[in-house]
Amino acid sequence: MRRRPWLWIALGVGILAGGIALGLLAILQGGPTTDGRPGAALYRAHCATCHGVTGRGDSWRARLLFLRPGNLTDSKAMVALSDEALFQMIKHGGSTFGKPGMPSFGFHLTDEEIRSLVAYVRTFSAPQRH
């Protein structure tokens, strides 16, 4: 068997280029501004990586991992979920609600933090005031 050092070099360069591209995507995506509303910082820390900055479920991480997080801006879907249902989904994860990719945050967030997160998530599907 012949050694092909150029193949290993090309593979290494490809992996390095892919890592740089992913890093640039993460920088360009940025994050939501924490506008002082309760729950905004929690959303940025725990939810934006999958649900995206705007709540549409279109983050680069979700696309890269072939995930389909819920679109928090879909008013029809959000109206169908009570605050208690959202609270339970965030606290215990989505598997009991048919959303197996949604992790549980009950060990990381207090009940009060989850309630403020639910209130903040509701702002994504609220009618826009002009």
Side-chain angles (χ1 to χ4, degrees):
M1 190 163 117
R2 253 176 81 204
R3 291 191 174 183
R4 296 184 176 133
W6 58 268
L7 182 62
W8 292 108
I9 292 171
L11 182 62
V13 169
I15 290 171
L16 181 64
I20 291 171
L22 286 176
L24 288 174
L25 277 173
I27 290 169
L28 291 175
Q29 171 139 3
T33 59
T34 51
D35 54 10
R37 289 186 286 179
L42 291 170
Y43 181 84
R44 179 179 184 169
H46 299 286
C47 310
T49 55
C50 290
H51 289 280
V53 175
T54 61
R56 295 181 190 276
D58 59 354
S59 74
W60 67 269
R61 178 180 279 176
R63 279 182 260 160
L64 178 69
L65 299 174
F66 302 107
L67 299 175
R68 293 179 52 182
N71 180 354
L72 304 174
T73 65
D74 181 355
S75 57
K76 276 188 176 179
M78 294 302 289
V79 166
L81 294 169
S82 68
D83 286 351
E84 182 62 23
L86 288 172
F87 178 89
Q88 294 299 325
M89 194 179 305
I90 293 168
K91 184 169 185 164
H92 300 293
S95 60
T96 57
F97 295 91
K99 308 285 185 189
M102 172 74 184
S104 63
F105 291 96
F107 294 109
H108 306 289
L109 302 173
T110 66
D111 286 358
E112 187 58 37
E113 289 173 323
I114 294 173
R115 283 187 194 92
S116 69
L117 190 53
V118 167
Y120 183 74
V121 163
R122 289 279 185 207
T123 65
F124 288 116
S125 62
Q128 299 296 322
R129 295 181 206 157
H130 296 286

